[in-house]
Every structure is written in C-alpha cells, then in structure tokens.
Amino acid sequence: MIGSRTPLKDVYTEFSTGMLPPLPLQKVLRNLLIASGVLLLIYTVLFYPILWTFSLLFFVLAYYYNRSLKFEYEYLIYNDDIHIDKIIANLKRKRKFAGNLQQLKVFTDDPKELNPYRKNAQRMRIRRLNDNRQKTYAMLFSGGDGLECVYINANDEVIRLIKSRQSLAVKLKNSDIPVDVI
C-alpha cells in the first residue's frame, strides 16, 4: 500500500543511575544533626535527666535524613511510555514522572534549545530527576496544562530508543549514536 507505515515493534529498556552520592552540604547537615543529638544527650544526662528523650529526636531525624540521601533514579521505557521512579535506600519506590513519547517536543543536551519554549509558555513545570555531576539531558513534554521539562541522565540505549521513536524531537549537539529502526 502506498503511504502506509509499518507498525513499530514493542520496545523495552530500563536504565538505573546507580546510587547517587550525597552532596557536601547534605553531609554537613547530617553530621550537624548527629552532633546536636550527642551534645543534647550529654547536657540532659548531666543536668536534666528527665529530658534525655528529647535528644533521641535528633538521632531519629538523622537516621531518616541519612536514609533519604541514599537514592537512585530508574528510567523505564516501554513502547512510547516513559516512567521515572525514585528508589530510596532500596526500600521505597516513588513514581516521579510518567509520560508519553508522542508528547515529546524536545530532547536535548543543550539548555539553549529550550529558550523559545520558555519565552512562549504560559506555564512550564520543571522536574530535576538527575545528578548534576553526570551528563544531563532535558526532555520537554506538552501536556494539557502547559509544558513539562524533565532533566535526566541517560545512557546510549535510552537515547537511541528516544531517537528511534521521536527523531524530529531529538536535538543533540554532538551525538554519534546511530538510529536503528525498531
């Protein structure tokens, strides 16, 4: 038949950023919580033994804060659906983003590519689901209530898959990743 497209095959890929190390300021805050707990414990045991349980509050806060620092992002792409989950301390999974690649306007590694959309958008929601110490890509999705910009880290397989599904939306500065027909 003239003008017909062959249907795309089912595709699935999964990418995990691995456990992301905490930032220096996060380490300082964690250590301040622990040090405050120790000092309050010493002070209350020596002078006000009845109030020593308040120092336990700092230890509990430090425990949960330290646990929240251990996380990774997992990107799942199945056909045209993309899901980004945050996995905290290998105990809890939170869905941070769910979208459809058919709504993808731009996939880029250059933030200047987003400037025309920022100027014209009435509402743009920005989600940073990445580690800034690694190569970062921006995905701009159109939605019912405006634009949604998602910053991610991606491997070659994720980039290749997005290129094969939405080749017109991909605008990378220097990419040598081939596009395979899927």
Side-chain angles (χ1 to χ4, degrees):
M1 291 174 43
I2 298 175
S4 68
R5 289 181 51 186
T6 58
L8 296 173
K9 296 178 188 171
D10 288 343
V11 294
Y12 174 81
T13 189
E14 183 177 323
F15 171 66
S16 176
T17 59
M19 204 60 76
L20 300 175
L23 297 172
L25 185 62
Q26 292 170 330
K27 289 180 184 177
V28 168
L29 183 61
R30 179 193 58 203
N31 293 338
L32 280 175
L33 281 171
I34 294 171
S36 299
V38 169
L39 290 176
L40 188 61
L41 181 66
I42 291 170
Y43 180 76
T44 56
V45 166
L46 292 176
F47 300 109
Y48 300 104
I50 295 173
L51 301 176
W52 71 270
T53 55
F54 288 116
S55 64
L56 292 179
L57 177 68
F58 283 97
F59 293 115
V60 170
L61 286 174
Y63 170 76
Y64 282 107
Y65 184 72
N66 189 38
R67 194 174 86 167
S68 72
L69 292 179
K70 298 175 183 174
F71 67 92
E72 63 183 298
Y73 288 108
E74 183 177 71
Y75 309 118
L76 300 168
I77 298 176
Y78 180 70
N79 290 340
D80 284 341
D81 293 326
I82 181 167
H83 299 279
I84 301 174
D85 297 336
K86 182 177 184 179
I87 302 171
I88 302 170
N90 291 333
L91 298 174
K92 190 163 46 170
R93 175 185 292 262
K94 287 186 178 180
R95 172 78 27 98
K96 290 297 191 176
F97 177 77
N100 193 320
L101 290 178
Q102 296 300 322
Q103 297 174 337
L104 182 68
K105 286 181 166 277
V106 177
F107 179 82
T108 183
D109 58 351
D110 184 14
K112 293 177 186 173
E113 292 285 339
L114 301 176
N115 287 343
Y117 297 99
R118 282 191 183 121
K119 292 176 185 173
N120 297 332
Q122 292 183 1
R123 180 171 182 255
M124 180 184 277
R125 182 176 182 184
I126 297 176
R127 297 181 189 218
R128 297 194 179 275
L129 306 175
N130 65 332
D131 180 21
N132 287 333
R133 295 166 277 195
Q134 299 175 7
K135 178 91 170 140
T136 300
Y137 298 92
M139 296 190 307
L140 187 67
F141 289 89
S142 63
D145 58 342
L147 298 175
E148 189 157 10
C149 184
V150 181
Y151 291 94
I152 66 167
N153 304 114
N155 64 355
D156 292 346
E157 177 68 20
V158 171
I159 296 169
R160 185 186 64 76
L161 192 100
I162 292 173
K163 268 186 176 181
S164 69
R165 291 296 188 165
Q166 288 286 30
S167 60
L168 296 176
V170 176
K171 298 175 182 171
L172 300 175
K173 280 199 282 190
N174 43 3
S175 173
D176 54 353
I177 300 169
V179 178
D180 297 337
V181 177
I182 295 178

